[in-house]
Amino acid sequence: MPFLFLANTFKKDRMDIDSIISSKSFFATKKVGDDLVLVPIKNSVAEMDEMFTLNDVGRFIWENLVPGATIQVLSNAIVNEFDIDSKTAENDLNEFLSQLAVMNND
């Protein structure tokens, strides 16, 4: 299940988790009902044509991307929150982080 509902396709570029965490400041967030919407900020301007809606797992990951977070800690938190196996949680987490890395590099 995709975490972000997007019109464009992502590359498989990777970024380390600390860089992803620090890049959160380049996104504005807005809660719309039960959804969390991310809006990239480029050159101090919100890119309204590039809004991203997170599903429950994506929102959980986004909210837990805090300084000191690790892949293992986040993966374990996903397992506990959504009652899924650790392999699925780690794969989903890595895919989500890859998507964030690509968005940050666009």
Side-chain angles (χ1 to χ4, degrees):
M1 175 186 336
F3 297 102
L4 304 168
F5 302 104
L6 305 174
N8 56 349
T9 304
F10 289 107
K11 304 171 223 161
K12 291 293 181 185
D13 296 346
R14 295 286 308 187
M15 179 186 287
D16 71 81
I17 192 167
D18 292 329
S19 295
I20 293 170
I21 290 168
S22 59
S23 74
K24 284 180 69 174
S25 63
F26 295 106
F27 293 89
T29 59
K30 177 71 175 168
K31 186 175 178 185
V32 180
D34 291 334
D35 295 328
L36 184 65
V37 177
L38 301 181
V39 181
I41 306 295
K42 296 179 183 173
N43 299 319
S44 300
V45 177
E47 295 289 328
M48 299 305 288
D49 59 336
E50 296 183 24
M51 294 189 303
F52 307 99
T53 302
L54 302 180
N55 68 11
D56 290 342
V57 179
R59 179 180 177 165
F60 181 83
I61 295 168
W62 179 263
E63 291 173 345
N64 286 280
L65 280 174
V66 295
T70 65
I71 297 291
Q72 189 62 48
V73 167
L74 290 170
S75 181
N76 288 342
I78 294 166
V79 167
N80 292 331
E81 182 71 18
F82 296 98
D83 194 30
I84 60 174
D85 65 271
S86 60
K87 183 68 174 168
T88 300
E90 189 171 331
N91 288 340
D92 290 351
L93 175 60
N94 284 326
E95 179 64 23
F96 182 80
L97 295 177
S98 293
Q99 292 176 4
L100 285 179
V102 169
M103 284 189 293
N104 189 53
N105 289 326
D106 284 345

